[in-house]
Amino acid sequence: MFHTSIQVKFCVAGLHCWPKAPDQVKFLSCFHRHLFTIRAIVPLKESRQLEFFILQKRYKRLLEEIYDRSYDLINFDTDSCEDIASKLIQRIPEAYIISVSEDEENAAIVSRSN
């Protein structure tokens, strides 16, 4: 038995900081910019049930509603990738996995419990 899902991906430029960063990475306590890549994995019940472009636009707009968008950057304040993913998965009921990465290097993954 196979299960089919789609992955929707989009990127946003944003700022965040980690005020209590340890000394080894103290520079992270100041606001710094990343290109955040968000991926949402959504199950399908039937082929072509959902359109990538529609979901991509909807999820990006939702992210911009959750956070303050100043200029071309989103202000994530002190939220980590885990925080961003958690906020998104709470507002996207059809997604069962959300990942958020910084500069396509490291990512946090939040999944919905079955």
Side-chain angles (χ1 to χ4, degrees), residues 16-79:
H16 73 165
C17 67
W18 184 14
K20 295 180 180 179
D23 287 339
Q24 304 96 307
V25 288
K26 199 66 174 166
F27 63 92
L28 296 175
S29 65
C30 298
F31 276 96
H32 53 283
R33 181 189 182 281
H34 289 291
L35 184 60
F36 292 87
T37 301
I38 293 89
R39 290 180 171 83
I41 299 179
V42 179
L44 292 180
K45 292 184 173 96
E46 56 189 61
S47 181
R48 304 309 299 163
Q49 165 192 349
L50 299 168
E51 173 48 52
F52 296 112
F53 298 122
I54 294 169
L55 292 181
Q56 189 178 47
K57 186 183 246 182
R58 182 183 306 157
Y59 298 165
K60 187 173 184 181
R61 203 173 19 227
L62 177 62
L63 183 71
E64 292 170 352
E65 287 173 15
I66 295 169
Y67 293 98
D68 173 33
R69 184 171 174 99
S70 308
Y71 306 101
D72 287 332
L73 297 172
I74 292 181
N75 179 5
F76 292 109
D77 196 33
T78 60
D79 277 3

Side-chain angles (χ1 to χ4, degrees), residues 7-10 12 17 21 27 36 43 47 49 60 62 65 72 82 88-90 96 98-99 103:
Q7 175 180 273
V8 178
K9 172 186 162 188
F10 63 94
V12 295
C17 67
F27 63 92
F36 292 87
S47 181
Q49 165 192 349
K60 187 173 184 181
L62 177 62
E65 287 173 15
D72 287 332
E82 304 92 288
L88 278 172
I89 205 163
Q90 290 175 42
Y96 67 93
I98 301 280
S99 72
D103 307 318

